[in-house]
C-alpha cells in the first residue's frame, strides 16, 4: 500500500485531513471473522471463509460508480444488526422491532428466536399486546375496533358489544349489549329504537317501538298489547270466557 498524498475531507460539517492511498486498505476485526476493504474506491464487507481463494466471503460491495449498487447490495441481517441512531428501530436476522422513547417495545414482526415462532404484534405504552396475528391469519384486537371515524357510517366493536352509527353519529342498525350486562340486542333507525330483545335475567322481553310485544318467563309466553290476524283482533282466553258467560246468560243457564 503506497501513500500518495494528504487530502482534506468533510466529516459531519467539519473538515479533516487524512491520507489518500493509491491502492487500498483492509481492516479486520480483532477476532479475525469480519473485514472491511477499500479497493479502487469501492467498499467491501466480508466474513472470513477459508474455502475462498482470498479467505473472505464478500457479502457487500459499494461504489461501482453509477450509484445503483446502493439499492442492489445485500446486507445480511443474520450477520449484522441494523439500528436507528436512537435505538428505537432494530432489524436483526428475521425480526423487526420498534421501541418508544421509554424503551418499551411497541411493534415487532418476523421470526422471534425467543418465542421460536413468527409474530406480528403491536403493544400499548405499558407493553401489553394490543393487536396480534397468528400463523393462521387469526387477528386479535384488544380494544375498540371501528370501521370508520366519528362522523362516518361505522360499526364499533368494544369488548363484547356492537354499535352501528350513521354519519350523524346516531345509532343506526344493529346494537348489541348496550349496557355491557344483559346481552341485549336492538335495531335503530336514525337514532330511534325500532326493535329490542331485552334480557332481564328472569326472562326475555321483546319490544317494538318501545312497546312490549312478548314476555317470556320459564315456559310461559305472555302477549302484550292487542294482536290482530288479517286485520281482525285476536280474541284472548278472557275474551272467550266472557263471551261464553254472555251466551250462557242468554240461554238462561
Amino acid at each position: 500500500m503506497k501513500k500518495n498524498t494528504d487530502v482534506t475531507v468533510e466529516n459531519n460539517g467539519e473538515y479533516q485531513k487524512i491520507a489518500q492511498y493509491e491502492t487500498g486498505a483492509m481492516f479486520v476485526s480483532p477476532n479475525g471473522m469480519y473485514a472491511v476493504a477499500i479497493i479502487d474506491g469501492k467498499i467491501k464487507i466480508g466474513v472470513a471463509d477459508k474455502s475462498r481463494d482470498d479467505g473472505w466471503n464478500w457479502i457487500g460491495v459499494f461504489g461501482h460508480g453509477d450509484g445503483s449498487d446502493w439499492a442492489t447490495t445485500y446486507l445480511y441481517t443474520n450477520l449484522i444488526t441494523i439500528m436507528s441512531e436512537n435505538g428505537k428501530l432494530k432489524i436483526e436476522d428475521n425480526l423487526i422491532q420498534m421501541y418508544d422513547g421509554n424503551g418499551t417495545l411497541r411493534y415487532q414482526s418476523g421470526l422471534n428466536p425467543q418465542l421460536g415462532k413468527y409474530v406480528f404484534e403491536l403493544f400499548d405504552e405499558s407493553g401489553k399486546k394490543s393487536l396480534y396475528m397468528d400463523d393462521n391469519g387469526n387477528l386479535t384486537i384488544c380494544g375498540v375496533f371501528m370501521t370508520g371515524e366519528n362522523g362516518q357510517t361505522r360499526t364499533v366493536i368494544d369488548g363484547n358489544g356492537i354499535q352501528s352509527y350513521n354519519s350523524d353519529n346516531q345509532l343506526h342498525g344493529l346494537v348489541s349489549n348496550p349496557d355491557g350486562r344483559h346481552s341485549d340486542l336492538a335495531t335503530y333507525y336514525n337514532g330511534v329504537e325500532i326493535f329490542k330483545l331485552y334480557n332481564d335475567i328472569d326472562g326475555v322481553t321483546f319490544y317494538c317501538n318501545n312497546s312490549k310485544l312478548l314476555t317470556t318467563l320459564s315456559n310461559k309466553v305472555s302477549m302484550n298489547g292487542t294482536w290482530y290476524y288479517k286485520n281482525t283482533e285476536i280474541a284472548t282466553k278472557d275474551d272467550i270466557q266472557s263471551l261464553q258467560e254472555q251466551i250462557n246468560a242468554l240461554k238462561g243457564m
Side-chain angles (χ1 to χ4, degrees):
M1 180 172 63
K2 179 181 177 182
K3 181 177 178 180
N4 188 21
T5 184
D6 290 336
V7 295
T8 301
V9 177
E10 188 273 336
N11 179 27
N12 293 329
E14 297 181 358
Y15 290 91
Q16 182 177 350
K17 183 174 289 187
I18 61 174
Q20 175 180 305
Y21 293 97
E22 182 178 317
T23 54
M26 180 171 171
F27 305 90
V28 181
S29 63
N31 61 6
M33 291 297 299
Y34 308 103
V36 175
I38 303 174
I39 304 174
D40 295 333
K42 299 187 295 291
I43 300 176
K44 287 190 172 185
I45 301 173
V47 178
D49 187 347
K50 294 182 179 180
S51 66
R52 302 296 181 101
D53 292 340
D54 61 356
W56 296 95
N57 177 21
W58 300 105
I59 59 175
V61 179
F62 303 93
H64 286 298
D66 59 2
S68 63
D69 43 286
W70 290 99
T72 58
T73 296
Y74 294 101
L75 296 177
Y76 292 90
T77 55
N78 61 321
L79 300 175
I80 61 173
T81 298
I82 300 174
M83 300 184 67
S84 59
E85 185 177 4
N86 55 16
K88 295 180 180 179
L89 169 65
K90 181 179 180 181
I91 304 174
E92 185 173 13
D93 203 354
N94 196 19
L95 183 66
I96 301 174
Q97 294 178 314
M98 296 181 184
Y99 297 81
D100 61 18
N102 296 319
T104 302
L105 179 64
R106 303 300 296 269
Y107 166 81
Q108 67 173 346
S109 64
L111 179 60
N112 188 314
Q114 295 179 338
L115 301 176
K117 63 179 181 180
Y118 282 89
V119 297
F120 179 85
E121 299 172 334
L122 294 177
F123 302 82
D124 63 18
E125 60 184 7
S126 68
K128 181 180 178 181
K129 281 193 293 187
S130 58
L131 181 150
Y132 55 96
M133 180 184 295
D134 63 20
D135 284 342
N136 296 318
N138 298 312
L139 179 65
T140 301
I141 300 176
C142 304
V144 178
F145 175 79
M146 300 175 60
T147 59
E149 298 286 346
N150 290 335
Q152 298 176 332
T153 56
R154 65 196 183 280
T155 297
V156 179
I157 302 176
D158 184 5
N160 63 345
I162 301 174
Q163 301 88 40
S164 298
Y165 297 87
N166 60 18
S167 57
D168 294 322
N169 288 324
Q170 297 172 321
L171 287 172
H172 187 90
L174 180 66
V175 176
S176 73
N177 202 25
D179 61 7
R181 298 186 299 117
H182 293 150
S183 301
D184 300 336
L185 181 67
T187 58
Y188 283 75
Y189 181 79
N190 292 337
V192 178
E193 182 184 283
I194 304 300
F195 170 84
K196 180 169 71 174
L197 173 62
Y198 179 72
N199 175 16
D200 53 7
I201 307 302
D202 293 330
V204 177
T205 302
F206 294 84
Y207 289 84
C208 184
N209 295 322
N210 289 320
S211 297
K212 284 186 178 181
L213 201 62
L214 290 173
T215 301
T216 65
L217 182 61
S218 299
N219 294 325
K220 296 181 180 179
V221 178
S222 299
M223 301 169 60
N224 302 283
T226 302
W227 288 61
Y228 289 83
Y229 176 72
K230 293 185 177 179
N231 296 322
T232 301
E233 183 179 344
I234 298 175
T236 66
K237 180 179 179 180
D238 291 340
D239 292 335
I240 295 174
Q241 184 175 350
S242 176
L243 180 60
Q244 184 63 55
E245 291 175 352
Q246 295 178 41
I247 294 174
N248 291 339
L250 292 174
K251 290 181 178 181
M253 297 178 62

